[in-house]
Amino acid sequence: MKTKATPAIKLDSLAEVNDLGKPWRYEEDGLTVTRSSIWTPPGCHPVGCGLKLYVDKSGRLVRVEGDENHPVTQGRLCPRCIAMKDYVYNPSRVKRPLKRDPKDRGQADKWVECSWEEALDLIEKEYKRITGQYGRESMIIFVGTGREGGTLLPYATMSFCTPNFCYSQSGYACYTPRLAACAYITGIPYPELDYAAGLPGRYDDPQYEVPEVIMLWGKEPLPSNPDGFFGHAVTDLMKRGARLISVDPRVTWLSAHADYHLRLRPGTDTALGLAMIDTIIKEELYDKDFVEYWCYGFEALAERAATMPAERAAEICGIDANYIKAAARMYANAKPAGILWGLAVDQKKNGMQNGQVIVDLMAITGNIDRPGGQVVGDINSGLNEGGFGFDKGIGPELGAKMIGIKEYPGYCNLILNAQADLALVALETDKPYPVRMGMYTGNNLMACTSGEPRRWHDAILRSLEFCIGVDCFITPSIQASCDVFLPLATVVERDGCLFAEYGAAPLYFGACNKAIDPDGTKSDLQIAFELGKRLNPHMWEDYNDVYDFINDLRLGKKFTFDELHKEVTLQQDISYFKYERGDLRRDGGLGFNTPSGRIELYCGAYAQFGDDPLPYYEEPPFSPVSTPELMADYPFVLTTGARTYAFFHSEHRQIPYLRELNPDPIVEVNPDVALRLGIADGQWCEVYNMFGSAVLKAKITQAVDKNTIHAQHGWWFPELNPNDVEKDGPYHTFRSNINNLNPNGYQGKIGFGAPYKCMICNIKPVEKSYDTNMADVWAKFGKLV
């Protein structure tokens, strides 16, 4: 064997690895400074960026700075963190519970302030009425960014005890398809690019090796730290010699600095991956020892990959065959090499197969669980942290009623979520049963994540007799459909904890340390705790407060919150080559936590759930190849949702400093296309297809090619009419919502994946201007309260 087991380095105190050694709270120039490792709200991915929160003697947050003590972010912050004060004290933020009659939904002036006691009484009354009539399965909880340190599942499993916890994006096309592919193929939650985040010495740690090559696949990490990966770690590694391969249809800063930019047609990634595997195998560039000892089904994979040589993939993807082969050689010859894979992998019907070929590339090159390759957790790493009482709170009989569990067991059983596309059908049809009560937490589905948002809007209003919204602001989804609003504390107003990258990769723990009084708001965990004590007290009988819950289920009794919050950040124990020591299997055996004990290149779990055990390429359901008859009307491939520095999904539109960076929704158009269609830079355009349309402002740029249109997502206009008007919806959320063009019901065979980044469309200029008047935005939101 070429690999050698390396012992773990244990971190006892953060003071061992930083020179500054600031305590978690101290005084400076008459201000109290609280160090915190934050995660939402406001929304972000779970990096746990280090902040120093400066509070004056009156208890008001007056300044935010980056914390040099943080072992990963090291004082670096994005604009969203810097604007934290403007979020916390925004004049449109709601800090008291509200209620209104269900017949007044959509009308902003019908909200009435009420006490917490009154709001919780009303929720308890409606919960008992509705579940008494229809059963607990009649409640659905819509979840989004995963606030409060990693998951909001306790709302479902421990408070309301409903099986229908639902991320409402078609095919759960965000992060989870990659998790599922990893779990089924390797038994590991998520192999992340190793950027030494959990090592005491970081890049200079004796265990670590800087990757020679980083392949960025469908991920541009600088604007948003996607999935919890700290994006600027890529530039750190570039300074230390790492070279880049970029797989991305758009030109980005990182792709412009790559040795190879594989600028493929959106949605064709799996063909590219198979061709790279074929090149590596035919040229014998794979790690023969790792494949022999630790992989299952190599010969079958080789045979399947041979059906997609680089020449065939070149025709599908629009990339030169020799370029594909050269990039494959660069990746395979690098020792070590890592892949940083992103949202674009998930956002296609063929997403599980895209994930499969990427994991297979990691495996056959021997880069899994090695320094500078893919860092992985041990057997204690999990996807849902034990389900947060799922067995006790829901149990097998009620769990069997989860929407979609019969049709998509590989989806529902893995992530304990109702299948999103079938949840929409249930709201529209009452099949398999009526859904009559709902809740939004960390979710703004009508503005942000859900395809055909007007369809969701109509289905929710048709079906739900009572709905609860939990947020810092009245969002379009809450305005349209909620009857009670519960005000949420921001991350500077609550205590909590986080696991970097949702705990799927072994990096570090962070403490969200409260710096200021919550002023009438409460955290998600506090709300779940208080609701649970009322509705299902047996689920919370072991907990006197949320700190008991954090210590037990969140931190798993590794240490207490009191110990964590004083350190602010604690790196985890990191080791490599765990498969050689039995640290990846529940039975203590060598190898991986799969039926074969090996990485299953031929994946029996895929076959179990009705899919091909080997990767295969499938054209997007709407494309120049699969629907040529539509190309005269919709000649462009539409890709959506590239992240910006100003916003996180649909959040931050009411923060003037951030809105100045991106005042209007942008659609990117190639200069040749713009010239041909008479579109000027800055002109408003209608983007449309057979499912819907949206108006956005044109940005003429070479970032997209002549066949591709890219549009931003998550837009609503908090400065405009809040009422649910027939055409545009609350805050005009449907006017520029690119998800109007993205359908539901085109998920993959296991239930994951949807074509958010590979639809078809057309575009035309419009005469009317919808330019944002920033003076109005400043007038409405600029004076902090």
Side-chain angles (χ1 to χ4, degrees):
M1 294 294 295
K2 294 181 179 179
T3 58
K4 182 180 179 180
T6 310
I9 292 180
K10 187 173 183 179
L11 177 66
D12 293 319
S13 170
L14 183 64
E16 294 177 12
V17 295
N18 76 70
D19 296 327
L20 299 180
K22 294 283 189 182
W24 76 277
R25 180 167 287 167
Y26 59 96
E27 300 296 316
E28 182 179 297
D29 298 330
L31 301 174
T32 299
V33 185
T34 301
R35 293 178 48 231
S36 185
S37 180
I38 69 153
W39 184 29
T40 88
C44 195
H45 288 111
V47 177
C49 296
L51 265 64
K52 295 187 296 188
L53 305 165
Y54 291 77
V55 177
D56 66 17
K57 294 186 183 302
S58 71
R60 186 176 179 85
L61 179 68
V62 295
R63 191 164 82 244
V64 174
E65 292 183 359
D67 183 6
E68 308 91 330
N69 292 272
H70 193 286
V72 172
T73 58
Q74 299 171 326
R76 293 171 284 188
L77 294 181
C78 71
R80 299 182 296 277
C81 280
I82 294 170
M84 179 72 71
K85 182 164 63 78
D86 298 81
Y87 187 101
V88 171
Y89 298 118
N90 193 278
S92 66
R93 187 177 169 204
V94 181
K95 295 185 178 182
R96 298 292 182 270
L98 304 174
K99 65 176 183 176
R100 66 182 173 190
D101 193 297
K103 66 178 173 45
D104 293 326
R105 288 175 179 175
Q107 300 181 55
D109 61 353
K110 297 298 183 178
W111 287 111
V112 177
E113 186 176 306
C114 63
S115 68
W116 274 98
E117 190 74 14
E118 187 177 358
L120 297 181
D121 283 346
L122 181 56
I123 292 169
E124 181 178 2
K125 174 186 173 183
E126 291 298 310
Y127 174 77
K128 290 179 177 178
R129 178 184 70 81
I130 292 170
T131 59
Q133 181 176 356
Y134 299 102
R136 282 184 283 154
E137 68 272 18
S138 65
M139 182 172 187
I140 191 165
I141 298 176
F142 299 117
V143 65
T145 54
R147 288 174 170 156
E148 196 68 47
T151 180
L152 297 173
L153 194 55
Y155 272 126
T157 60
M158 298 180 67
S159 298
F160 293 100
C161 293
T162 173
N164 290 319
F165 186 72
C166 182
Y167 179 70
S168 55
Q169 186 176 45
S170 176
Y172 208 132
C174 178
Y175 187 58
T176 301
R178 280 169 282 152
L179 289 179
C182 294
Y184 291 140
I185 297 166
T186 70
I188 296 166
Y190 194 72
E192 181 58 280
L193 169 70
D194 185 10
Y195 63 109
L199 293 173
R202 289 300 314 280
Y203 305 121
D204 298 319
D205 194 279
Q207 290 193 83
Y208 188 65
E209 296 179 46
V210 172
E212 293 182 12
V213 168
I214 299 170
M215 181 145 59
L216 297 149
W217 200 308
K219 193 166 197 162
E220 207 289 289
L222 298 182
S224 69
N225 302 322
D227 310 319
F229 177 92
F230 181 56
H232 282 78
V234 175
T235 57
D236 291 345
L237 292 169
M238 290 168 67
K239 294 173 184 177
R240 287 162 172 81
R243 298 162 63 194
L244 304 184
I245 299 169
S246 175
V247 180
D248 197 322
R250 297 173 67 245
V251 178
T252 67
W253 187 90
L254 287 172
S255 70
H257 288 78
D259 286 41
Y260 292 95
H261 179 194
L262 301 170
R263 200 175 181 187
L264 75 176
R265 172 165 62 91
T268 62
D269 307 63
T270 307
L272 174 63
L274 282 166
M276 296 182 80
I277 291 171
D278 182 56
T279 299
I280 290 168
I281 292 175
K282 284 178 177 175
E283 298 185 11
E284 298 190 5
L285 302 176
Y286 58 93
D287 186 323
K288 296 180 178 61
D289 283 345
F290 190 88
V291 166
E292 179 180 356
Y293 289 106
W294 305 113
C295 293
Y296 170 79
F298 178 73
E299 293 77 11
L301 175 66
E303 184 177 343
R304 175 60 59 86
T307 67
M308 186 63 71
E311 290 73 17
R312 183 183 173 205
E315 296 177 1
I316 294 170
C317 302
I319 307 170
D320 183 82
N322 290 326
Y323 203 66
I324 294 173
K325 292 178 182 179
R329 294 181 191 117
M330 179 179 172
Y331 171 71
N333 285 321
K335 302 297 179 188
I339 297 179
L340 189 58
W341 48 330
L343 183 68
V345 174
D346 310 320
Q347 296 202 329
K348 58 180 70 68
K349 184 178 180 182
N350 197 219
M352 286 288 285
Q353 286 67 42
N354 191 175
Q356 195 173 15
V357 295
I358 291 174
V359 174
D360 290 352
L361 280 166
M362 298 171 183
I364 67 172
T365 55
N367 280 303
I368 289 182
D369 199 18
R370 68 171 296 169
Q374 309 298 142
V375 63
V376 303
D378 62 18
I379 196 59
N380 295 311
S381 298
L383 300 181
N384 54 44
E385 301 177 69
F388 284 121
F390 187 90
D391 290 340
K392 180 180 177 181
I394 295 172
E397 183 177 349
L398 187 57
K401 296 182 179 181
M402 182 185 293
I403 295 171
I405 199 165
K406 294 178 181 178
E407 297 87 347
Y408 297 110
Y411 176 121
C412 297
N413 283 315
L414 181 71
I415 59 174
L416 305 181
N417 266 231
Q419 206 281 334
D421 300 86
L422 296 187
L424 174 59
V425 173
L427 289 165
E428 292 177 320
T429 66
D430 293 345
K431 296 179 181 179
Y433 47 75
V435 179
R436 293 293 182 258
M437 183 172 178
M439 180 180 190
Y440 301 101
T441 177
N443 180 293
N444 185 15
L445 62 85
M446 295 180 195
C448 185
T449 55
S450 297
E452 299 176 283
R454 171 63 80 173
R455 185 178 165 194
W456 276 96
H457 169 281
D458 294 346
I460 286 169
L461 290 181
R462 169 205 172 274
S463 186
L464 299 187
E465 296 178 9
F466 186 74
C467 192
I468 308 156
V470 182
D471 213 303
C472 297
F473 299 88
I474 300 292
T475 67
S477 303
I478 290 172
Q479 189 67 272
S481 60
C482 284
D483 312 304
V484 168
F485 174 84
L486 302 180
L488 190 62
T490 68
V491 73
V492 303
E493 297 164 325
R494 67 168 177 87
D495 285 330
C497 65
L498 69 92
F499 301 158
E501 305 214 21
Y502 306 95
L507 303 176
Y508 50 91
F509 304 99
C512 306
N513 287 327
K514 183 170 71 173
I516 61 175
D517 184 83
D519 191 19
T521 65
K522 298 184 180 184
S523 71
D524 272 305
L525 272 186
Q526 185 65 40
I527 295 169
F529 176 82
E530 294 184 18
L531 283 169
K533 285 286 190 179
R534 285 168 166 260
L535 307 179
N536 290 288
H538 66 288
M539 294 301 299
W540 297 86
E541 59 191 2
D542 294 332
Y543 308 115
N544 293 317
D545 56 31
V546 295
Y547 295 98
D548 286 345
F549 177 88
I550 291 171
N551 291 334
D552 185 19
L553 286 180
R554 294 295 295 126
L555 297 176
K557 300 179 181 177
K558 298 179 180 70
F559 40 79
T560 67
F561 177 75
D562 187 59
E563 292 168 330
L564 176 62
H565 95 96
K566 292 175 182 176
E567 297 286 357
V568 186
T569 307
L570 281 174
Q571 292 166 297
Q572 296 190 50
D573 296 343
I574 298 295
S575 65
Y576 300 99
F577 309 117
K578 292 179 284 296
Y579 52 86
E580 295 182 342
R581 300 192 303 274
D583 290 342
L584 296 179
R585 294 182 59 86
R586 297 195 182 277
D587 60 8
L590 301 183
F592 293 83
N593 192 35
T594 61
S596 67
R598 303 182 180 207
I599 293 175
E600 299 199 343
L601 308 175
Y602 181 99
C603 183
Y606 275 53
Q608 176 185 349
F609 298 124
D611 213 336
D612 193 322
L614 292 165
Y616 60 91
Y617 173 65
E618 180 181 15
E619 270 290 320
F622 302 94
S623 81
V625 176
S626 59
T627 54
E629 71 280 5
L630 297 177
M631 296 314 293
D633 292 326
Y634 311 113
F636 302 105
V637 176
L638 172 66
T639 184
T640 65
R643 305 301 188 241
T644 76
Y645 290 93
F647 312 125
F648 181 77
H649 290 302
S650 65
E651 294 197 58
H652 301 102
R653 297 306 193 285
Q654 63 278 84
I655 311 302
Y657 284 111
L658 298 176
R659 190 73 175 273
E660 288 276 12
L661 301 175
N662 197 154
D664 298 300
I666 296 299
V667 57
E668 294 176 341
V669 184
N670 182 273
D672 291 347
V673 172
L675 181 64
R676 176 165 57 85
L677 297 181
I679 298 172
D681 190 62
Q683 185 173 10
W684 285 83
C685 298
E686 181 184 6
V687 184
Y688 60 97
N689 66 12
M690 68 289 286
F691 292 101
S693 66
V695 291
L696 303 98
K697 193 171 185 176
K699 179 181 180 180
I700 312 305
T701 174
Q702 294 281 2
V704 292
D705 65 24
K706 298 176 184 178
N707 302 309
T708 305
I709 299 289
H710 168 260
Q712 291 180 346
H713 81 301
W715 273 91
W716 60 294
F717 303 90
E719 70 275 14
L720 299 182
N721 184 3
N723 293 317
D724 190 1
V725 295
E726 182 175 348
K727 180 182 178 182
D728 290 334
Y731 302 103
H732 291 233
T733 189
F734 298 132
R735 188 186 77 192
S736 298
N737 194 329
I738 198 62
N739 282 334
N740 293 338
L741 286 72
N742 289 324
N744 297 278
Y746 291 90
Q747 64 273 20
K749 292 180 181 179
I750 300 178
F752 292 111
Y756 282 80
K757 289 188 178 291
C758 50
M759 279 299 295
I760 57 175
C761 73
N762 207 339
I763 186 171
K764 62 183 179 183
V766 298
E767 293 184 4
K768 186 174 181 179
S769 172
Y770 298 90
D771 281 1
T772 293
N773 185 335
M774 282 306 302
D776 290 343
V777 175
W778 278 104
K780 189 163 188 176
F781 306 120
K783 187 176 181 180
L784 304 186
V785 297

